[in-house]
Amino acid sequence: MTQLTLALSKGRIFDDTLPLLRAAGIEVLEDPEKTRKLILPTNQPDVRVVLVRASDVPTYVQFGGADVGVAGLDVVLEHELGPYGGGEGGASLLRPIDLQLARCRLSVATRADFDYAAAVRQGARIRVATKYTQLARQHFADKGVHVDLIKLYGSMELAPLTGLADAIVDLVSTGSTLKANHLVEVEDILPVSAHLVVNPGAAKLKRARLQPLMDAFRRALAASTANA
């Protein structure tokens, strides 16, 4: 009952979360890039880390496979809008802290020669390729635009270039990949950063173990902001 399970995904979020864990006195004892293990021990016997795909972090946390996790806001909101999250307004996770890690934005992008403003006039219909089908559907519905969604998992920039779609909805950081493929951002949808997500049941039953972790994260974030 007192063991705390933290869900993380390999890569940037894992690496960026390590300093926050250290601030809370937690050291992950194995390098995820050098082991095949999916459950990693820490220096605290009551804390373990499970490695899952980024898109699966909210699911593990919601259904109790983990008590707490770190995931991008894009992933969390996509989950909340989906069937597991209960649809629009059906929040199934607590989001107590914006960790301000892995900052980027969710944007609409098109070919440079595509007249996006004309294409999304009220009542229009366009084709959009994305892995964020829930967020894209909501965004265009709010604009009164009919959209045919094409779900892709990678190489999103190819869709407008091959005629598969008129536009894409994807994460953008520097914009260099879009520029290299002659695409342009035409609309920002959502600023994105990594958030701490918590299972509501664990927030009650494991509050004594979770609260020091969250307090340490907040102190570390405040210190980094002050030193910026």
Side-chain angles (χ1 to χ4, degrees):
M1 177 67 86
T2 58
Q3 185 176 58
L4 200 65
T5 300
L6 171 64
L8 294 175
S9 56
K10 289 183 181 180
R12 182 180 176 187
I13 284 182
F14 183 94
D15 294 340
D16 288 351
T17 303
L18 288 181
L20 295 178
L21 289 174
R22 292 189 190 106
I26 298 171
E27 292 278 353
V28 182
L29 299 180
E30 297 190 42
D31 184 341
E33 302 299 333
K34 297 179 180 178
T35 180
R36 292 183 180 272
K37 293 180 182 179
L38 298 177
I39 301 179
L40 305 182
T42 73
N43 65 328
Q44 299 196 20
D46 63 340
V47 180
R48 64 179 183 172
V49 170
V50 294
L51 299 174
V52 301
R53 287 182 58 174
S55 57
D56 290 336
V57 169
T59 303
Y60 271 82
V61 175
Q62 179 182 343
F63 291 103
D67 303 301
V68 61
V70 177
L73 185 60
D74 55 317
V75 170
V76 177
L77 294 182
E78 182 74 9
H79 173 84
E80 295 286 10
L81 290 170
Y84 288 159
E88 188 173 354
S92 53
L93 300 168
L94 303 178
R95 277 189 275 134
I97 308 174
D98 178 355
L99 299 175
Q100 302 172 36
L101 305 174
R103 290 182 181 178
C104 53
R105 57 196 176 274
L106 187 67
S107 295
V108 182
T110 69
R111 296 188 319 273
D113 62 353
F114 183 75
D115 191 345
Y116 179 74
V120 297
R121 68 186 183 279
Q122 201 77 1
R125 178 178 291 275
I126 64 171
R127 288 179 298 164
V128 175
T130 185
K131 68 177 179 180
Y132 300 102
T133 53
Q134 303 293 341
L135 286 167
R137 180 178 291 110
Q138 182 185 60
H139 173 71
F140 287 104
D142 290 345
K143 293 170 66 70
V145 176
H146 300 289
V147 61
D148 295 320
L149 292 171
I150 302 168
K151 185 152 190 175
L152 294 179
Y153 294 93
S155 301
M156 212 68 61
E157 295 82 9
L158 276 175
L161 301 178
T162 59
L164 179 65
D166 301 309
I168 61 174
V169 169
D170 202 12
L171 293 181
V172 177
S173 182
T174 64
S176 57
T177 302
L178 293 178
K179 185 176 180 180
N181 288 283
H182 308 291
L183 302 180
V184 294
E185 282 182 85
V186 292
E187 193 169 20
D188 288 349
I189 296 177
L190 177 74
V192 172
S193 58
H195 283 240
L196 192 72
V197 291
V198 180
N199 177 282
K204 296 177 181 178
L205 297 175
K206 300 185 179 182
R207 181 179 178 83
R209 189 65 189 84
L210 272 169
Q211 195 61 52
L213 176 69
M214 292 191 293
D215 290 345
F217 277 19
R218 289 190 176 101
R219 287 194 299 270
L221 288 170
S224 64
T225 301
N227 294 329

